């Protein structure tokens, strides 16, 4: 481990003691004004905003890609389950269910009960 004592046996002077209050540490060093500091901070913030916008753009693209992939998966699944023209078959099934419901609603309630009355008596025989 190297000590901070110089070759003469003395501690080196503290740089803070060599520089008077308010003076730059080196003769050729210029102090930054408040305006320069503000411009630097503004540049840093603008750079961060550009980075954040780029990241948001990447996230949007990823979300769109995921939605397209999900839509393709759903479409492929519908084709596997329902064959060609799956949406037409689903529309036809929905329309048939609607028409059947309208027909059942138009029938008198007594006719429906009479049709189902024989079923419980048949099940008791078993």
């Amino acid at each position: 481990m190297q000590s901070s004592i110089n070759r003469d046996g003395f501690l080196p002077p503290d740089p803070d003691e060599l520089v008077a209050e308010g003076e730059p540490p080196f003769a050729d060093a210029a102090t930054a004004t408040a305006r320069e500091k503000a411009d630097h901070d503004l540049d840093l913030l603008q750079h961060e905003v550009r980075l954040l916008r780029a990241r948001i753009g990447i996230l949007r693209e990823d979300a769109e890609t995921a939605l397209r992939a999900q839509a393709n998966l759903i479409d492929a699944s519908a084709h596997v389950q329902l064959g060609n023209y799956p949406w037409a078959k689903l529309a036809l099934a929905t329309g048939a269910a609607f028409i059947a419901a309208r027909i059942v609603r138009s029938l008198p309630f007594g006719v429906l009960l009479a049709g189902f009355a024989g079923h419980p008596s048949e099940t008791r025989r078993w």
Side-chain angles (χ1 to χ4, degrees), residues 14-63:
D14 187 10
D16 294 336
E17 293 174 359
L18 295 176
V19 177
E21 182 105 13
E23 290 182 6
F26 305 102
D28 58 350
T31 58
T33 63
R35 174 73 179 181
E36 290 171 344
K37 288 180 184 178
D39 288 342
H40 179 68
D41 290 343
L42 180 63
D43 290 340
L44 288 175
L45 287 174
Q46 288 174 341
H47 180 68
E48 287 183 29
V49 167
R50 284 192 300 270
L51 288 176
L52 288 173
R53 285 183 179 159
R55 288 179 185 162
I56 289 172
I58 290 170
L59 289 174
R60 282 184 182 157
E61 290 174 5
D62 289 347

Side-chain angles (χ1 to χ4, degrees), residues 67-81:
L67 286 175
R68 280 191 206 114
Q70 186 68 24
N72 289 339
L73 178 67
I74 290 172
D75 188 48
S77 175
H79 280 285
V80 168
Q81 293 176 7

